[in-house]
Amino acid sequence: MASGVDSELVGHPTSRAIRKNPGYAKLENKSKAIHDSLSGVVAETQALMREIGQLKDAQATIERLALTDSLTGLANRTLLTDRMNQALRGLRRSQGFIGVLMLDLDHFKVINDTLGHQVGDAVLIEAARRLQHLGRPDDTVARFGGDEFVLLVQGLANAGDLTAFADRIVTGLRVPYSVGTEEVVATVSVGVALTSESDSVPTDLLREADMAMYRAKDRGRNRHEVYGATLQVRAIERLGTERVLRRALADDRLVVEYQPIVDLATGLTVQAEALLRIDDAEHGQLVPEHFLAVAAETGLLPVMDDWVRASAMRDLLRWRDASRSAGVQRMCVNLTARELASPDFTSRLVGGLQAAGLEGGDLSIEVTEHVLMQTSHSAVSSLGELRALGIHVGLDDFGTGFSALSYLKDFPLDFLKIDRSFVERIDIDERSSSIVAAIIGLAHALGLSVVAEGVETAQQLARLRHFSCDLAQGFLFAPSISSCDFMRLLAAEEATPQAC
Ligand code: C2E
Ligand code: CA
Ligand code: CA
């Protein structure tokens, strides 16, 4: 009689059997020998065969989930890091480079917020598909969550190949995305890091690519930047600029200049734009291009902007006191994204107006297109609050940013400021001219007024008048000037000389 002295289970490799129905069944075979308890010889063999297709599928699914991103099917951080380690080991044996590209879709939040998550997801899936298509088969494309993708490129002979590849990605991803009936525009900022050293560390490479990506965002998005000497130089520059800014604030060396904004129907100055400068003892006069990015990064800009607004309001009152007519109807100030989103912004602004004895109707606020597109709905509703106070809100640099014209109807706005890059080509290039005409027509149809900025020639002015543009500013009328010079300019318009 066979008793229960079992041998070890002998697991045979899995096998396949042809099903009656089409296809194969995956089988696991196990057999065991049952020994006779007296003689020890094998008395019988039991075999177990079971179908394990479902189990194997489940294992594969778990493995896939652990290593890939569920939305796009791309590698996740774990798998990418593993591949990076492999690629770095490969550098011990062969010469060459590996490159890491960190990508972030520009203004993706706006797509999600305005068009819904389904559209957002469809854009991510399509972006993933394009990235796989653009890369080579042995590149790894990963998604790090949100709208952040990472590409690992191996076997590069020189660094130039990588920057050319980064350019192809920027170009390939900015082709509009068709999602149902929507046509979605999404550009990408790419940070590039590369190494030829096998002892490089994946997290360091990712950090460097990330820093370069932020630099690409800083420099206007829709582009790539390479990590390297330029970033180190910039870090040193940045320290220097921050020192200059802090010194300017401490020593009261901020200066506001004003540029006249002219009513094209009457030719008179009706508004002024306040523009900040720093009068630095060491470097002379600095314009925003030199310090704005650092002021924003270091959190100093809101303080500076408060100062600009307070000075501008004081100067507006001075001009009005000195003038016979109402003169300048509104003072325009520029606003940053961070201020717009800060919860106490409206109350600070109203406090400033009250302290100066002015009303909402005396002020205009200019927000750049980029700023508005980055902004949350709550900040947009705070624009609504400002408008309820009579403050005019306008979109600055219009035409340079992301906004599809269709977004205009969703934002509470009073005016558009057409970017200088269109105005400067209006008399030499038919395309720019048609764009400006169309923007003015559309803005008027939406009840918005239009300001043209950067008007430098009489021909540009004539065209703008022809297109029924409402207001204009630019060197043709005046550059930005001191408060005293502005008062003189107003007096000259009224033909009443003023002492300042
Ligand atoms: P923006 O608001 O587009 O200001 C217009 C810029 O164009 C000013 O440069 C002005 O001097 C310049 N400009 C005006 N007319 C002409 C022209 O006919 N031709 C040319 N080529 N340029 C002209 P600026 O003062 O250097 O300001 C640069 C940017 O810095 C501004 O662009 C604005 O976005 C920002 N900014 C200026 N002041 C402030 C401020 O107080 N706070 C904040 N947050 N941003 C400011
Ligand atoms: Ca402006
Ligand atoms: Ca502008």
Side-chain angles (χ1 to χ4, degrees), residues 396-397 417 419 453:
D396 204 349
D397 302 342
K417 211 172 233 197
D419 191 63
E453 70 178 5

Side-chain angles (χ1 to χ4, degrees), residues 273 275 334 366 368 395-398 400 417-420 453-454 473:
E273 178 173 5
L275 294 162
N334 294 283
E366 297 183 7
T368 65
L395 208 50
D396 204 349
D397 302 342
F398 188 77
T400 54
K417 211 172 233 197
I418 303 181
D419 191 63
R420 193 164 69 227
E453 70 178 5
Q473 65 190 101

Side-chain angles (χ1 to χ4, degrees), residues 139-369:
D139 294 344
T140 302
V141 187
R143 177 170 172 240
F144 271 23
D147 56 337
E148 211 168 71
F149 296 91
V150 181
L151 262 94
L152 169 66
V153 187
Q154 307 186 52
L156 289 162
N158 63 62
D161 293 349
L162 195 58
T163 52
F165 179 51
D167 271 339
R168 285 204 300 283
I169 286 181
V170 170
T171 314
L173 263 66
R174 73 165 159 242
V175 175
Y177 296 73
S178 296
V179 184
T181 53
E182 302 281 354
E183 177 127 308
V184 185
V185 181
T187 55
V188 70
S189 298
V190 182
V192 180
L194 76 167
T195 183
S196 57
E197 312 285 328
S198 64
D199 56 357
S200 300
V201 180
T203 46
D204 288 350
L205 279 171
L206 288 169
R207 200 192 57 242
E208 289 170 4
D210 196 46
M211 285 172 73
M213 194 262 290
Y214 275 102
R215 173 109 170 104
K217 294 239 177 230
D218 235 32
R219 303 192 80 190
R221 301 160 203 273
N222 190 18
R223 58 182 294 140
H224 82 261
E225 287 290 325
V226 182
Y227 179 84
T230 49
L231 278 182
Q232 280 146 14
V233 168
R234 190 172 135 71
I236 294 163
E237 270 172 10
R238 184 191 145 141
L239 279 178
T241 312
E242 185 173 347
R243 199 172 42 83
V244 168
L245 289 181
R246 293 196 185 276
R247 192 168 59 193
L249 277 165
D251 300 350
D252 207 9
R253 283 187 165 268
L254 301 186
V255 179
V256 199
E257 287 192 339
Y258 301 94
Q259 186 172 37
I261 300 176
V262 173
D263 182 338
L264 291 187
T266 63
L268 293 174
T269 299
V270 287
Q271 297 181 8
E273 178 173 5
L275 294 162
L276 176 61
R277 279 93 184 79
I278 287 175
D279 193 6
D280 185 60
E282 204 179 315
H283 302 94
Q285 193 184 71
L286 301 174
V287 292
E289 186 196 340
H290 299 130
F291 59 79
L292 214 58
V294 175
E297 283 167 24
T298 50
L300 292 172
L301 193 55
V303 185
M304 297 165 88
D305 277 344
D306 277 350
W307 184 89
V308 169
R309 275 196 299 277
S311 308
M313 289 177 199
R314 261 198 320 272
D315 285 332
L316 179 63
L317 283 174
R318 255 178 80 203
W319 301 340
R320 284 185 180 168
D321 283 347
S323 151
R324 280 189 285 121
S325 68
V328 172
Q329 294 155 10
R330 280 179 192 270
M331 176 63 79
C332 304
V333 293
N334 294 283
L335 189 68
T336 67
R338 194 180 294 182
E339 280 174 295
L340 190 60
S342 95
D344 66 339
F345 176 70
T346 315
S347 55
R348 270 194 300 139
L349 191 75
V350 172
L353 275 171
Q354 282 168 349
L358 289 170
E359 292 174 352
D362 296 317
L363 196 66
S364 270
I365 278 177
E366 297 183 7
V367 190
T368 65
E369 205 177 354

